[in-house]
Amino acid sequence: MAESKRDYYEVLGVGKDADDAALKKAYRQVAKKYHPDMNPGDAEAEKKFKEASEAYAVLSDPDKRRQYDQFGHAAFEGGAGGAGGFGGFDFSGADFSDIFGDIFGDLFGGGARRGRSQGPMKGMNVRKSVRVTFEEAVFGCEKELDVVLKDPCPKCSGTGAKPGTTPETCPKCGGKGQVVYTQQSFFGTVQNVQTCPQCGGSGKIIREKCSDCQGTGYVSNRKKIAVTIPAGIDNGQSIRIREKGEPGANGGPRGDLLVEVSVSRHPIFQRQDMHIFSTVPISFPQAALGADVKIKTVDGEVLYTVKPGTKTDTKVRLKGKGVPSVRNSQVRGDHYVTLVIQTPEKLSAEAKEALRRFDELAGNSLNSAGTGNAASSGTGKKRKGFMGKMKEAFDE
Ligand SMILES: [Zn+2]
Ligand SMILES: [Zn+2]
């Protein structure tokens, strides 16, 4: 009897070194092909299905697989199993449900539909997006969204049936919305619960449909929903507005409205988390001599004193001028400013003269170039050419 059993690896069509994933994949294929639901009344298919299930049950269990590899089918003989049964090992409890849930989930539409209940169910969430300016994100704002939502049809009070008629209880499922298929298999009685094909899960049959909602029981309404965007919200973050989504079923609450915020770019400010960054141009004299400069922040202009001798790319921190925390608007980030020294492109003759004079005084005499140190060396000619060009550029 046991000797006539096919090799488990052969049954699943895998090699002796097959790993868990390969086993599962192989079993999934065989189980799909021979599952009794797919082959009603086919005894041969059922036998093959049981054979494959048994093979998978053994090979997917490391201990049992080791025993099988060592002793073959003899490892499981002498137990309580009958013909086509499971021999001497226990195949109940978690093992079974794991395999079943895992492998058959996709065969029969998964647990979600299987577990469809007639109790109150929350409605679907609705997603919307809203665009705000940089400043609106920093300080918060109020927005009004146009949202199309379903409501129970007022004409039929949500039943979907023509006024004066009532929906009938579905004869196929008796109003439960789901049907249970029972079958015998090697591990006992198995129940498959599926959505009732006749009523689509509602448990009711509508003979004459309501003309307003075409029997759905719902009508769509355009609604204006006010959204408070909190100060400090960042691009891509969402706000949940409870129970402003699609209606629930069987007295369940509405779903939620999820509003995703997208923040527009700002021409001068960049943001990273709670901090703001910007670049502020200053003139060379301002950098050299020091000056009070106006710096734009989200709170308006602030006066900042540039120290004498400031270098370009100097970073300045304006404490507390950043973005408020979305959790606590009393807490604010900082504003980091990069001071960049600008080189003038257009100068009056007078300004040029002043610059030349400055250069001389600073000891970098432009006019003496070529006649100074450079001229005394052999490479003087080249240098003169370069400085000459510089001079021409300033003379233009
Ligand atoms: Zn209606
Ligand atoms: Zn039904």
Side-chain angles (χ1 to χ4, degrees), residues 161-166:
K162 185 180 169 185
T165 72
T166 45

Side-chain angles (χ1 to χ4, degrees), residues 153 156 210 213:
C153 173
C156 62
C210 164
C213 63

Side-chain angles (χ1 to χ4, degrees), residues 122 149 240-246 253-257:
K122 192 180 172 181
L149 291 176
R240 180 184 292 266
I241 304 168
R242 298 206 180 272
E243 299 191 18
K244 295 286 184 190
E246 296 293 12
R254 294 190 81 105
D256 300 332
L257 176 62

Side-chain angles (χ1 to χ4, degrees), residues 152-219:
C153 173
K155 189 167 183 182
C156 62
S157 308
T159 63
K162 185 180 169 185
T165 72
T166 45
E168 293 167 22
T169 300
C170 172
K172 176 140 178 109
C173 62
K176 287 200 277 294
Q178 44 187 226
V179 279
V180 180
Y181 297 102
T182 305
Q183 66 188 73
Q184 295 299 319
S185 97
F186 64 94
F187 35 63
T189 303
V190 177
Q191 291 192 331
N192 280 313
V193 182
Q194 288 182 276
T195 300
C196 173
Q198 195 163 337
C199 62
S202 67
K204 293 191 169 70
I205 300 283
I206 296 165
R207 300 282 176 211
E208 285 185 272
K209 290 175 179 170
C210 164
S211 59
D212 275 19
C213 63
Q214 283 77 43
T216 62
Y218 294 109
V219 287

